[in-house]
Amino acid sequence: MKSGSYPDRHRTLGALLRAPWRVLEGRVYGAMAERGFPEVRPAHGVVFRHIEADGSRVSDLADRAGMAKQSMAYLVSHLEEHGYLRVGPDPLDGRAKRVILTERGEAVLKAAHDLSRSIEAEWALAIGAGPMETLKRDLGRLWDYLEAEDHQS
Amino acid sequence: MKSGSYPDRHRTLGALLRAPWRVLEGRVYGAMAERGFPEVRPAHGVVFRHIEADGSRVSDLADRAGMAKQSMAYLVSHLEEHGYLRVGPDPLDGRAKRVILTERGEAVLKAAHDLSRSIEAEWALAIGAGPMETLKRDLGRLWDYLEAEDHQS
């Protein structure tokens, strides 16, 4: 398995979830250079994954990613430098900065979704369309449960 | 959802895999302090996850985790300092270092497995025992496919 995920001693639920995700992430970000985005690396996934359509504050991105604000600011500054993001003052709080995807940044997001969908299609061929469908259905149920639980707490 | 994973714009397969894994990881490592292991943080998961029963070289741990050797050495040194690991010369290569879990480190691994199993049981109650069973079966099929594919490449 790419990303060396299989030496896990046991196939715990955590390992079963993490291993295919890491393969997927590795393939999606590994293909970015050939799609014309050579500066985008797996570490930048947390930015593209968590940024909102109308932009996000760096501190909110950091919270969502479970990272220090300084580490997020570093990733954001790299992506800004290469034209994937624009950073400006937050309209609601002049002291805060707001980050928004440029057209080039939006193109990365689209490429990531396209790549992800084609990998999913490949895996559906490998394990069968039925199992892929039940897999997504069961993961969706788990998602609903975790989201509801989070809103209660 | 804990770890702020739900602002994903779409429920892609990657998001569906990653979100529950992050909740699981957060809960397992969040409970380490009360289990008597206050120095163990989520970042150390890569060490406990990838270390082999008879010990591993730092460079192999770094490869498996997809990290720089220096970053892995930093995590290893923190865990060694707090009595979770022993670091000694590699019996097969005197210039390399080999890392092995102490009894205290093995206890962390056991606690992580116990916590993981009890979260899995809670989730099985939430989504149903049947869906949890098919979820693990389908993830197992995906694992088998990815492992076979990796050995071919």
Side-chain angles (χ1 to χ4, degrees):
Chain A
M1 201 175 295
K2 295 292 185 290
S3 315
S5 304
Y6 63 85
D8 282 283
R9 290 198 202 170
H10 306 291
R11 291 193 184 192
T12 60
L13 180 60
L16 285 167
L17 292 166
R18 190 188 61 251
W21 175 61
R22 286 206 58 195
V23 174
L24 189 65
E25 188 201 27
R27 284 185 55 184
V28 166
Y29 285 91
M32 283 296 164
E34 71 195 37
R35 296 279 176 129
F37 312 115
E39 303 91 355
V40 175
R41 293 190 301 268
H44 301 121
V46 289
V47 180
F48 290 104
R49 189 180 300 146
H50 295 296
I51 198 167
E52 286 168 289
D54 58 347
S56 296
R57 287 159 59 159
V58 173
S59 53
D60 291 336
L61 288 176
D63 283 350
R64 275 178 214 144
M67 289 171 68
K69 194 182 158 188
Q70 202 176 356
S71 311
M72 180 56 79
Y74 174 82
L75 297 174
V76 161
S77 138
H78 175 87
L79 291 172
E80 183 191 17
E81 191 182 320
H82 293 285
Y84 296 101
L85 299 173
R86 260 196 316 275
V87 181
D90 188 289
L92 303 173
D93 175 359
R95 291 165 309 174
K97 284 186 178 172
R98 194 164 192 88
V99 174
I100 195 161
L101 291 176
T102 59
E103 212 168 297
R104 186 164 164 77
E106 289 285 353
V108 168
L109 209 57
K110 187 178 178 309
H113 281 146
D114 290 350
L115 286 159
S116 178
R117 265 193 297 271
S118 86
I119 295 166
E120 183 183 324
E122 178 197 315
W123 290 357
L125 272 179
I127 69 169
M132 179 55 82
E133 202 174 307
T134 54
L135 176 59
K136 290 186 74 179
R137 183 201 62 198
D138 295 336
L139 288 170
R141 286 178 180 173
L142 192 49
W143 179 299
D144 291 336
Y145 164 66
L146 294 172
E147 201 168 54
E149 204 197 18
D150 187 41
H151 289 165
Q152 277 163 22
S153 66
Chain B
M1 203 172 298
K2 297 290 184 293
S3 313
S5 303
Y6 64 85
D8 284 282
R9 289 200 204 171
H10 306 291
R11 289 193 184 193
T12 60
L13 180 61
L16 286 166
L17 292 165
R18 190 190 61 251
W21 174 61
R22 286 207 57 195
V23 175
L24 189 66
E25 188 201 31
R27 285 186 55 183
V28 165
Y29 285 91
M32 283 297 166
E34 69 196 40
R35 297 277 177 133
F37 312 115
E39 303 90 356
V40 175
R41 292 190 301 267
H44 301 119
V46 289
V47 180
F48 290 103
R49 189 179 301 146
H50 295 295
I51 198 167
E52 285 169 289
D54 59 346
S56 295
R57 288 159 57 160
V58 173
S59 52
D60 290 337
L61 288 176
D63 283 351
R64 276 180 213 142
M67 289 171 67
K69 196 183 158 189
Q70 202 177 354
S71 310
M72 178 56 78
Y74 174 80
L75 296 174
V76 160
S77 137
H78 175 88
L79 291 172
E80 182 192 18
E81 193 182 315
H82 293 286
Y84 297 100
L85 299 173
R86 262 197 313 277
V87 181
D90 189 289
L92 303 172
D93 176 0
R95 291 164 308 173
K97 283 188 178 169
R98 193 165 192 85
V99 174
I100 195 161
L101 291 176
T102 59
E103 213 168 292
R104 186 165 164 78
E106 290 285 353
V108 168
L109 209 56
K110 188 179 176 310
H113 281 146
D114 290 350
L115 286 160
S116 178
R117 266 192 298 271
S118 85
I119 296 165
E120 182 183 325
E122 180 197 314
W123 291 357
L125 272 179
I127 68 168
M132 180 55 82
E133 204 174 305
T134 54
L135 175 59
K136 291 185 73 179
R137 183 202 63 200
D138 294 334
L139 288 171
R141 286 179 179 169
L142 191 50
W143 180 298
D144 291 336
Y145 164 67
L146 294 173
E147 200 168 57
E149 206 197 15
D150 188 42
H151 289 164
Q152 278 165 21
S153 67

